[in-house]
Amino acid sequence: MATTPLPPAVQATQPPAVGASDGLPPPPGTDMTGICFRDQLWLNSYPLDRNLVFDYFALSPFYDWSCNNEQLRSRSIHPLDLSQLTKMTGTEYALSEVMEPHLFVIRKQKRDGPEKVIPMLTYYILDGSIYQAPQLANVFAARIGRALYHISKAFNTAASKLENIGCADAENEDSSSELNITKETVDLKELKRVDHILASLQRKLAPAPAPPPFPEGYAPPASETEKGPDDQQASEQQPPLDPIIDQGPAKRMKY
């Protein structure tokens, strides 16, 4: 990777911090999501691309001057040269994603070996403005808190409406009962119309066929009207027979 010369504007914006024993500013805080950095003068002077984006990031308060990238800058090596960063251990910055010239994602990580890194924080440069990305736990906590707020508000609104509905039902109980009575009344016109339809259908149907004749030698039983008064009295005096007990053992059900 070719070495990128440090712009003069960047060299002039690295004064040692007051009270620092090693001449470096104090390390940035872990939670700086509430601030934003933008240097319009630098953006008007230099192009914002993958070669100069780290120099622009070094101007912001998110930059840690004790990182390995700063050591590479002091030796006139490009601060994002992975071939040099993999040989070092400690805190470093790496360019994660690039969409020139609008979006640059820079990840702060701790390197313990050539292939072992531990992510710490993430920053992104959006159209020249530098922000710190919130941590995933903070995002989940904010989303869950917002969801609980809306759910609680919805339950309160539903409870208030149910109370209003209960009061309205108590007030309109008499009127609703009258409406139910009127709904249950029979409509005579509708009843006559249904009877007319059934009668017309019955006229259209063919008459029922005559019953088949009795076989030869079969005498139909006499009806109750043909019986004499003595027979009717005798039948009325006899108690009804039990189908199981009084019909004899031959007619009982066998199990």
Side-chain angles (χ1 to χ4, degrees), residues 17-32:
V18 179
S21 57
D22 52 356
L24 296 177
T30 56
D31 188 6
M32 303 178 68

Side-chain angles (χ1 to χ4, degrees), residues 3 28 43 56 64 79 90 93 118 129 133 152 154 157 176 182 206 249 251:
T3 303
L43 295 173
Y56 179 63
D64 188 357
Y93 294 92
I118 301 175
S129 299
S152 177
T157 304
S176 61
T182 55
K251 295 184 178 181

Side-chain angles (χ1 to χ4, degrees), residues 11-169:
Q11 293 178 354
T13 56
Q14 298 178 5
V18 179
S21 57
D22 52 356
L24 296 177
T30 56
D31 188 6
M32 303 178 68
T33 55
I35 64 174
C36 169
F37 176 82
R38 182 181 181 88
D39 190 344
Q40 192 62 42
L41 181 61
W42 193 97
L43 295 173
N44 296 335
S45 303
Y46 303 97
L48 191 61
D49 54 13
R50 66 179 64 238
N51 294 322
L52 297 178
V53 66
F54 191 84
D55 297 329
Y56 179 63
F57 178 76
L59 301 176
S60 67
F62 307 110
Y63 184 66
D64 188 357
W65 292 89
S66 61
C67 62
N68 297 336
N69 308 85
E70 185 62 26
Q71 298 181 22
L72 296 181
R73 293 179 71 193
S74 62
R75 291 183 291 174
S76 299
I77 303 176
H78 196 279
L80 298 177
D81 191 352
L82 289 178
S83 61
Q84 299 293 330
L85 291 174
T86 53
K87 299 177 183 178
M88 307 171 69
T89 58
T91 305
E92 68 179 26
Y93 294 92
L95 194 61
S96 176
E97 297 181 11
V98 177
M99 294 178 61
E100 293 181 345
H102 302 288
L103 178 64
F104 301 87
V105 179
I106 297 177
R107 184 174 62 246
K108 183 179 182 180
Q109 57 193 13
K110 182 180 180 182
R111 181 175 293 276
D112 296 333
E115 300 294 335
K116 185 178 181 181
V117 293
I118 301 175
M120 299 172 63
L121 296 171
T122 303
Y123 306 90
Y124 60 95
I125 304 174
L126 181 61
D127 292 332
S129 299
I130 305 177
Y131 307 88
Q132 177 184 343
Q135 297 185 3
L136 192 59
N138 297 335
V139 174
F140 284 161
R143 298 281 178 88
I144 293 174
R146 185 179 302 175
L148 290 177
Y149 168 76
H150 289 293
I151 292 174
S152 177
K153 186 177 179 180
F155 273 110
N156 294 334
T157 304
S160 62
K161 290 186 177 181
L162 287 176
E163 292 178 358
N164 296 333
I165 292 173
C167 295
D169 291 342

Side-chain angles (χ1 to χ4, degrees), residues 173-185:
E173 184 176 358
D174 297 336
S175 59
S176 61
S177 60
E178 294 177 358
L179 292 175
N180 293 332
I181 293 174
T182 55
K183 289 181 180 178
E184 293 177 357
T185 56

